Structures are given as structure tokens and as C-alpha cells.
Amino acid sequence: MRDRIQKARLRVHLGLYHNETSEAASGTCRRTHYLETWGDARAFDGTVTIQQPLIQPLYGGRSANQFLQMLTGSPDTSPYEIVKGYWASQHKGADFEAWWRRAVHDGVVPDTALPTKAGHPREAITARIEAPRLGGKLE
């Protein structure tokens, strides 16, 4: 793996810990713990939640969103502005501020659950392994 990493011209490691990957990297960026930053996540059913920080970053790290934002034309955008800006682009309507405050308060972005699929897992497996029908003819 180290040989493959060494082939890249730019090798930057974003992480919480010093490890083998950070040793192979040409630069390291300290990552914030997920409890230190804003973000969003999707639950198993597809529902999106807005992640709020519980504490201020302790060691001056960067979130994954901030790290990617550093590669754009506005590297000093805060994690809050990144997440809010994304959801502002996704929400269509004049009431974004009220919608945003409600989503942050409730911890859930409304109407983001994925549609459920009907059926039984055994039926899906049986359908996949059923032998092809040759119409009574031999091959």
C-alpha cells in the first residue's frame, strides 16, 4: 500500500491520529472529532440529521468538509456556513431560515427518509438463484 501512496504527487493525510498513512503522506492536517464540528448524516432509513458540535474544537483541527472547502476559492468558510449553505441550496422556498432553525432544533431534516421497499428477503434470494427455463429443450 505504501508504494501506491508514494506514487501520488500530493499526499495529505486528514486524521485524528498519527498512523501508517500519515507517515506516508507529505503533509498532515489534524481532523476535528465529530463532536467538535457541524455536519450532516443519513440514518439507516435515509433520514438526514443536522449534526451540531457539543464542544469547541480542542486542538485547532479541520473537519472533512472544511478540508475539502480549503481546495476551493473560499478556504476560510466555517463548518456551520458549509452545512447551512448546502441545505440552503437544497431547500426550495422562501422560508429557509425558519426551516433551518426547525431542522436544527428537531435534529431531523423533514421528508428525507427513503421510500420503503416491500417484499421478503427470501423471495429476492430465490428469484436470483432460480434456474433458467429452457422451454423443455435440452442444450
Side-chain angles (χ1 to χ4, degrees):
M1 183 66 148
R2 182 182 290 267
D3 296 339
R4 292 180 184 164
I5 292 173
Q6 296 294 339
K7 289 180 181 180
R9 286 185 282 145
L10 177 64
R11 300 176 308 274
V12 181
H13 176 255
L14 173 68
L16 293 170
Y17 310 105
H18 183 74
N19 55 27
E20 295 85 6
T21 304
S22 61
E23 288 178 9
S26 54
T28 301
C29 183
R30 189 174 317 166
R31 183 176 184 172
T32 57
H33 189 273
Y34 75 94
L35 296 176
E36 299 174 321
T37 191
W38 284 88
D40 53 11
R42 194 173 285 275
F44 72 94
D45 69 345
T47 304
V48 174
T49 183
I50 304 295
Q51 169 192 323
Q52 300 178 55
L54 295 178
I55 60 173
Q56 291 291 328
L58 297 174
Y59 303 108
R62 299 272 183 170
S63 70
N65 289 340
Q66 283 178 291
F67 184 77
L68 293 173
Q69 189 72 27
M70 288 176 11
L71 303 175
T72 69
S74 53
D76 295 325
T77 307
S78 74
Y80 175 79
E81 293 169 328
I82 294 169
V83 174
K84 186 177 180 182
Y86 171 77
W87 285 104
S89 72
Q90 298 301 304
H91 178 73
K92 305 302 179 206
D95 63 339
F96 174 73
E97 284 301 321
W99 179 89
W100 172 254
R101 283 193 303 276
R102 189 66 168 167
V104 170
H105 174 271
D106 294 350
V108 176
V109 177
D111 304 321
T112 54
L114 298 173
T116 57
K117 292 184 178 180
H120 191 273
R122 182 169 294 237
E123 293 169 5
I125 292 170
T126 305
R128 279 192 227 141
I129 60 172
E130 188 174 311
R133 300 181 189 261
L134 301 173
K137 300 178 185 176
L138 297 175
E139 287 187 310

